[in-house]
Amino acid sequence: MKATLFFRKLSLFFRQIYRPQKQWIFASLCVISAIAVVVFGGCGALQSSSLAAPPSILVDQFGYRPGDAKVAVIQQASATTEDDPSLYAHLTDTFQIVRVDNPAAPVYTGQAELWEAGKIHPQSGDRVAWFDFSTVQTPGEYVIQNTRTGDASAPFAIAEDVYQNVLIAATRMYYYQRSGFDKVPPYADARWADGAAYLGPGQDTEARFVDDKENAELERDMRGGWFDAGDTNKYVTFASPPIHQLLDAYTQNPAVWTDDFNIPESNNGIPDILDEVRYELDWFQRMQDDDGGVFIKLGTLDYNDARPPSQDRRPRFYAPKCSSSTIDVASTFAHAALVFRDFPELQPLADTLEQRSLQAWNWFNRHPVQTECDTQEIKAGDADRDPVTQLGSAILAAVYLSELQDDPQFDNYIREHFRETRPFNESLGVLYASSVVDGLTIYSQSATAPADIQAAVKTELSQLLFEQLPIFFQHSLTLDPYRAFMPDPQYHWGSNAVKSRFGNINHVISSSTDNAQKSQQYTEQALGYLHYLHGVNPLGIVYLTNMYEDGAEYSANEMFHKWFGGGIYDNAQTSSSGPAPGYVTGGPNKNYTGPAEGVVDQPPMRTYLDRNDTELLMWEITEPSIAYQAPYIQLLSSF
């Protein structure tokens, strides 16, 4: 892996030197081949401090698995119908694949094919062609070159484990988001070290009730958990879906979840993803009252954050118990108990979580559904959930409790209510309640579920996935020249999370069919969404922060984040530290309301700025979130 990163960084250095020359690739790669024999080590000094324009040849900048489809996108950006043909002549040129370590011997040569006969794609404003090089399967480091112009793609790898380092970086985002926990070497890079936050007087170990601030008798220890997003507040209802998705990511492909992600719990015999989930669940337990109800959120009363978080001295407050937070905890505790019980070391915790889940379930069923628990006096997001969302959480709780408890009430609840959940009642409900789809899929495969209820769930799921979804689910590769179709309205706040969910639903469909051809189609479609996030998009950007040391050539340099969004962390290319790596940014937002000129005038896929400015309201575009990170991790870990 060190050799791979060496070649990538050195190739980037020479690319910036030789970019004006049409044959830069041969000069640069020959030098790389020679130097690599005698030089091997860090290349940080070679990393450019300025960001060059992305190339016209777009690839997944991390790479591809050997047996997967591999299609580069050749781009004419921001095209018009009046363009002279010379401006897009490169779209139908001949391209070749060359190995970084042997550039004089191309391994594949072929011609690109226009998408839709050269039609301008309305969602991006681009003309595009595809260059299919799927037959190249030998592991190694490659670039794609235009044989006429010399233009070249970013370097990329072909390897079975090509995404493992990316997965580690993306998962470690949760470690950096830990509240009340020291982030220090060797687990934190020294550039992003900080002491434990919010453990001072009046903070998380002695949080006060927001509706009775002077009552010391109501102080509670609510330390731990993850910062929600760019802010440092903590919301039970915002954290529940990510926990489900991370647990699903583990159960869908446990082999990739090793015990060496370099977090403090590494090498304890438990996959690090489960250790990270445990950290959040410990906080969930502190948010649960003795009667089973769960307080909905914890945070500050203003926006006067300190950087880094350990310097923040503001008091912290918790909001009331609510039906939404309580049923979310019931579902996550039951799900975690089901996963954890397979590890002898975690059996006592699994038993505790199971009992706490039952307490929360009973509290939820004794109280009315509440939708106005969060007055938002505690800043900033509204943690309330509508009744349909709470019903989905109740279905999830019933699914996982039915696996843990020999009690027909849970199966009966599923029988009576599963058709009322969002996936079955909204055209794109599978995207906004994807954990419900995952949970019902598990139930449809259960060895203990009553046969009649299970058959009903299986039938309804099959009809939903194969007959009732919008037709574009069957054509996501061809409807979008960037091979990751999404309707215009979904390019909203947090659109990158929606892209990931599209990929995850395609993976569910692929895993749910016995038709090998359809399975392959939906797997390829799922990969299309992953490649989009890795650089096969109109901006040619990897929508993860500061991934240069993991192989990206053009990565998100900035994000709106109260810790990593300014000062020495401001920009990955120009600041001394830059933001921590692996954070998924919000994504293009056609509904952006800030003052940055020209953003909303762009086609939907281009409504993005690589900025973090508060005055530009960049939280609407580049703010990360634990809720954006989890669906991406679930998608990435599938491959």
Side-chain angles (χ1 to χ4, degrees):
M1 186 56 69
K2 286 181 66 179
T4 294
L5 295 181
F6 170 79
F7 283 128
R8 290 187 181 187
K9 291 181 179 180
L10 203 53
S11 177
L12 173 59
F13 171 69
F14 282 109
R15 170 192 292 279
Q16 289 156 346
I17 292 176
Y18 290 103
R19 185 177 292 277
Q21 302 181 22
K22 291 184 177 180
Q23 300 302 321
W24 76 269
I25 186 70
F26 291 111
S28 63
L29 292 182
C30 288
V31 173
I32 290 172
S33 298
I35 293 177
V37 175
V38 293
V39 179
F40 195 78
C43 303
L46 302 180
Q47 181 73 52
S48 171
S49 62
S50 62
L51 186 64
S56 62
I57 306 170
L58 303 176
V59 295
D60 185 313
Q61 292 175 36
F62 303 115
Y64 305 85
R65 298 185 306 175
D68 289 338
K70 306 172 191 70
V71 179
V73 168
I74 318 300
Q75 174 195 67
Q76 183 208 1
S78 303
T80 72
T81 55
E82 289 78 31
D83 288 338
D84 187 277
S86 63
L87 295 176
Y88 50 89
H90 64 285
L91 297 182
T92 53
D93 278 344
T94 297
F95 296 83
Q96 62 185 16
I97 311 290
V98 298
R99 289 182 64 103
V100 168
D101 59 0
N102 189 16
V107 300
Y108 179 77
T109 301
Q111 191 171 18
E113 296 184 5
L114 287 173
W115 177 80
E116 292 287 317
K119 174 184 175 182
I120 295 175
H121 177 231
Q123 289 186 308
S124 64
D126 303 340
R127 282 191 184 91
V128 165
W130 290 346
F131 176 61
D132 191 327
F133 59 104
S134 301
T135 57
V136 180
Q137 299 188 0
T138 303
E141 189 78 7
Y142 297 88
V143 293
I144 301 174
Q145 184 195 19
N146 184 313
T147 60
R148 177 177 65 88
T149 68
D151 289 341
S153 71
F156 60 91
I158 294 178
E160 285 292 351
D161 63 348
V162 69
Y163 304 126
Q164 187 64 19
N165 281 359
V166 185
L167 181 66
I168 291 172
T171 304
R172 283 174 52 78
M173 175 265 200
Y174 288 95
Y175 166 68
Y176 283 113
Q177 290 290 107
R178 290 187 186 185
S179 179
F181 196 94
D182 288 327
K183 271 80 75 173
V184 295
Y187 309 111
D189 188 295
R191 290 170 288 181
W192 307 298
D194 188 30
Y198 303 111
L199 298 183
Q203 295 189 311
D204 289 9
T205 57
E206 46 192 50
R208 294 282 182 95
F209 183 42
V210 71
D211 292 339
D212 196 358
K213 299 179 184 66
E214 303 304 317
N215 189 346
E217 293 184 0
L218 297 180
E219 284 183 357
R220 298 184 67 92
D221 179 2
M222 293 177 165
R223 70 187 187 278
W226 299 320
F227 302 143
D228 171 63
D231 66 294
T232 57
N233 296 329
K234 300 180 291 189
Y235 311 77
V236 170
T237 50
F238 292 1
S240 175
I243 289 175
H244 283 300
Q245 289 157 349
L246 294 175
L247 290 170
D248 287 331
Y250 169 74
T251 56
Q252 288 168 8
N253 193 8
V256 302
W257 294 109
T258 52
D259 189 24
D260 57 356
F261 282 32
N262 193 34
I263 61 174
E265 298 83 0
S266 293
N267 302 309
N268 66 354
I270 305 297
D272 281 349
I273 185 64
L274 300 186
D275 283 322
E276 196 59 67
V277 167
R278 285 172 65 190
Y279 189 80
E280 182 74 349
L281 292 177
D282 286 347
W283 175 65
F284 269 27
Q285 291 184 67
R286 297 186 186 103
M287 295 296 284
Q288 187 175 30
D289 204 358
D290 292 340
D291 65 355
V294 177
F295 300 98
I296 193 169
K297 71 190 281 190
L298 172 74
T300 56
L301 304 184
D302 59 46
Y303 298 102
N304 301 320
D305 301 81
R307 181 181 294 123
S310 64
Q311 301 303 307
D312 199 329
R313 301 291 182 257
R314 292 173 297 168
R316 306 263 278 187
F317 300 88
Y318 63 92
K321 289 179 283 190
C322 194
S323 61
S324 57
S325 49
T326 302
I327 195 59
D328 274 347
V329 160
S331 68
T332 52
F333 280 177
H335 193 175
L338 186 63
V339 175
F340 289 175
R341 69 178 183 177
D342 289 338
F343 296 86
E345 307 95 315
L346 299 182
Q347 187 62 57
L349 176 58
D351 292 342
T352 296
L353 294 177
E354 180 179 343
Q355 293 307 309
R356 283 180 170 270
S357 174
L358 284 169
Q359 284 183 292
W361 171 266
N362 291 332
W363 191 99
F364 176 78
N365 284 288
R366 291 196 308 267
H367 292 78
V369 170
Q370 303 158 288
T371 59
E372 296 184 358
C373 302
D374 183 6
T375 66
Q376 297 186 67
E377 183 179 0
I378 300 172
K379 308 304 179 192
D382 184 353
D384 284 317
R385 288 293 182 253
D386 62 57
V388 175
T389 300
Q390 295 187 51
L391 177 63
S393 296
I395 287 293
L396 284 175
V399 164
Y400 298 118
L401 283 169
S402 73
E403 292 289 302
L404 297 167
Q405 296 271 313
D406 184 16
D407 187 335
Q409 70 163 311
F410 304 115
D411 298 298
N412 290 334
Y413 190 91
I414 294 167
R415 183 208 307 269
E416 294 170 8
H417 298 293
F418 82 90
R419 295 179 184 87
E420 301 166 22
T421 58
R422 181 154 282 138
F424 297 98
N425 288 284
E426 297 178 11
S427 64
L428 293 179
V430 293
L431 300 176
Y432 299 96
S434 58
S435 293
V436 175
V437 176
D438 290 337
L440 289 174
T441 300
I442 289 172
Y443 189 81
S444 73
Q445 300 165 353
S446 170
T448 60
D452 60 330
I453 305 176
Q454 185 179 59
V457 169
K458 187 177 295 187
T459 297
E460 295 283 351
L461 265 180
S462 179
Q463 291 176 350
L464 171 65
L465 297 176
F466 294 104
E467 300 175 22
Q468 297 171 1
L469 290 180
I471 191 66
F472 57 71
F473 273 88
Q474 301 175 33
H475 305 285
S476 65
L477 293 174
T478 56
L479 288 173
D480 178 2
Y482 294 94
R483 302 173 65 81
F485 178 77
M486 190 163 79
D488 284 2
Q490 273 55 60
Y491 286 98
H492 54 56
W493 197 328
S495 66
N496 281 341
V498 186
K499 284 282 188 180
S500 294
R501 294 187 204 118
F502 262 106
N504 287 324
I505 290 300
N506 274 274
H507 187 262
V508 169
I509 298 173
S510 174
S511 303
S512 300
T513 179
D514 295 327
N515 184 309
Q517 184 176 0
K518 279 189 175 294
S519 179
Q520 178 60 35
Q521 172 195 339
Y522 284 102
T523 294
E524 187 173 345
Q525 290 183 176
L527 281 163
Y529 292 98
L530 186 66
H531 299 325
Y532 168 93
L533 294 165
H534 290 175
V536 185
N537 56 66
L539 302 179
I541 185 174
V542 172
Y543 280 118
L544 282 77
T545 56
N546 202 1
M547 292 296 286
Y548 298 105
E549 295 179 14
D550 287 290
E553 181 173 329
Y554 180 22
S555 182
N557 290 305
E558 298 186 14
M559 62 175 169
F560 180 85
H561 194 273
K562 293 298 186 177
W563 177 10
F564 295 132
I568 63 172
Y569 313 105
D570 183 62
N571 185 285
Q573 295 277 29
T574 61
S575 302
S576 58
S577 293
Y583 279 67
V584 177
T585 59
N589 180 5
K590 73 179 188 62
N591 304 318
Y592 169 68
T593 65
E597 293 184 4
V599 175
V600 295
D601 298 326
Q602 293 289 323
M605 296 176 78
R606 291 185 173 274
T607 53
Y608 186 86
L609 283 179
D610 191 15
R611 300 282 294 274
N612 57 30
D613 312 59
T614 298
E615 60 271 20
L616 296 181
L617 310 190
M618 279 296 103
W619 58 80
E620 295 186 8
I621 292 178
T622 63
E623 184 176 14
S625 165
I626 59 174
Y628 304 163
Q629 200 80 9
Y632 167 75
I633 288 173
Q634 185 179 4
L635 176 61
L636 180 65
S637 66
S638 299
F639 301 106

